[in-house]
Amino acid sequence: MKLEKDISLKPYNTFGVDVKAHQFISVRNEEELEGILKRFYASELFVLGGGSNMLLTQNISKTVLHINLKGIEVLEETGNYVIVKAAAGENWHEFVLFCLENNYGGLENLSLIPGNVGTSPIQNIGAYGVELKDVMEYCETINRQTLSKKTFYTKDCQFGYRDSIFKSKFKNQFIITSVTFKLSKNQHKLHLDYGSIQKELEANSIDSPTIQDVSKAVISIRESKLPNPKDIGNSGSFFKNPVVSHSVLETLQNDFPNLPYYKIDDNSVKLPAGWLIERTGLKGYRDGDAGVHKQQALVLVNYGKASGKDIKDLAEHIRKAVKAKFNIELETEVNIF
Ligand code: EPU
């Protein structure tokens, strides 16, 4: 463990924004993590996971604590299911691939999501009809102030759409050190309802898909719409899909009869922010090196040298355009620093 000074955070954020960390420490195990938490006050640290859900708009004057804890462990196994624990610093997609290689089912729809295992509960990552809350058993954490360890079971996490207790009541209070999953070993329950998965499988003439087939379908859909951060900097969906009441939906439908929506409950629906942004004419828009992705308007991209501020300004421009056209306030999904 080494304390580095004045390093660029460009390799540590998927937007590829070039800001500096005044001090940087990467911890590889819990002992190192505890050592750092003892040495620094919580307020002196900036905790960094996979850097896939953040937009850095300025140099970081705090000490950046990079959570790089590694390890995957099978804790329990029966004929039907397996309990697997992954350390927070494991790359999410590599962990999904490990599970697929071992024929552990449950994570296939979450293939190719950027980021690390440890940040997956914070925003309850989700895609193609599955959310983290559906597969997580518990996550283990350490309190940043008291250093005491606490296990959060799924029911304790107040999971919602891109939301959890770690974003609200306990924001910045805990560091997640590992996440433990319950996965199937046979009779996998497949989630194919999300329109394009079924279509993708049919296009490949697969009628009894395996979990590996579902993963391949998800990867192919994602690759067709979402830019790979290794090629073009981005943070996935920049905004959340807004949740509105049925009466707001009805008013909007008068002017936009083709507006797609997903029912959440009897009171509310979710609107696709990508659809709203596309109708403002901003899909594919580019201002310098900051842009709106050509294939998916919900994703903002860094074509190379955009600063965090350039991307933040573009996001503000989009928010204003959506507000003006639909009277809807978009909320960012990405955390802006
Ligand atoms: N749409 C447009 N134009 C666009 C983008 C989308 O008209 O530019 C329309 C689509 O035609 C479709 C609807 O919007 O009718 C929904 O689009 P899509 O299926 O691509 O999903 P999304 O709602 O835009 C969400 C998640 C993604 C996740 C996909 C699949 C959020 C904020 N985003 O996107 O998550 O992969 O569903 O489940 O909920 C992420 O969080 O980083 C992310 C990529």
Side-chain angles (χ1 to χ4, degrees), residues 35-76:
I36 294 300
L37 294 180
K38 277 184 195 144
R39 196 166 132 196
F40 291 88
Y41 287 117
S43 60
E44 294 173 319
L45 293 170
F46 178 95
V47 180
L48 175 70
S52 66
N53 204 39
M54 53 165 53
L55 176 63
L56 301 170
T57 62
Q58 53 193 316
N59 292 336
I60 307 295
S61 54
K62 294 183 179 186
T63 297
V64 173
L65 170 57
H66 181 224
I67 307 298
N68 199 21
L69 315 180
K70 298 287 187 195
I72 298 175
E73 201 183 338
V74 172
L75 300 183
E76 188 188 326

Side-chain angles (χ1 to χ4, degrees), residues 291-309:
V292 181
H293 188 51
K294 292 185 186 123
Q295 272 86 39
Q296 163 54 291
L298 197 47
V299 177
L300 303 192
V301 293
N302 175 7
Y303 285 108
K305 294 208 154 47
S307 68
K309 173 143 187 332

Side-chain angles (χ1 to χ4, degrees), residues 71-76 81-88 90-92 95-96 98-99 104-107 110 116-121 124-125 130-140 154 159 176 178-184:
I72 298 175
E73 201 183 338
V74 172
L75 300 183
E76 188 188 326
Y81 68 84
V82 62
I83 305 286
V84 195
K85 171 171 161 172
E90 289 289 338
N91 173 272
W92 175 264
F95 174 59
V96 172
F98 165 88
C99 293
Y104 302 154
L107 302 181
L110 303 176
N116 287 353
V117 168
T119 36
S120 61
N124 183 26
I125 59 169
V130 175
E131 288 185 333
L132 182 92
K133 70 170 174 48
D134 305 322
V135 278
M136 183 182 114
E137 276 289 282
Y138 56 85
C139 59
E140 288 169 285
T154 305
F159 283 129
I176 294 171
S178 70
V179 185
T180 298
F181 301 83
K182 183 174 183 180
L183 303 171
S184 53

Side-chain angles (χ1 to χ4, degrees), residues 52-53 109 113-114 123 125-130 161-162 194 196 221-222 225-226 234-242 260-262 270-279 283 292-299 333-334:
S52 66
N53 204 39
N109 292 47
I113 294 185
Q123 63 150 350
I125 59 169
Y128 307 102
V130 175
Y161 165 60
R162 298 292 191 272
Y194 194 89
S196 40
I221 299 166
R222 287 188 75 100
K225 288 201 215 175
L226 300 168
N234 76 90
S235 239
S237 304
F238 195 88
F239 299 100
K240 286 194 218 173
N241 284 333
Y261 65 91
Y262 315 100
K270 197 152 68 175
L271 305 178
W275 190 94
L276 302 173
I277 297 168
E278 183 167 346
R279 267 71 205 169
K283 188 172 183 171
V292 181
H293 188 51
K294 292 185 186 123
Q295 272 86 39
Q296 163 54 291
L298 197 47
V299 177
E333 189 198 285
V334 167

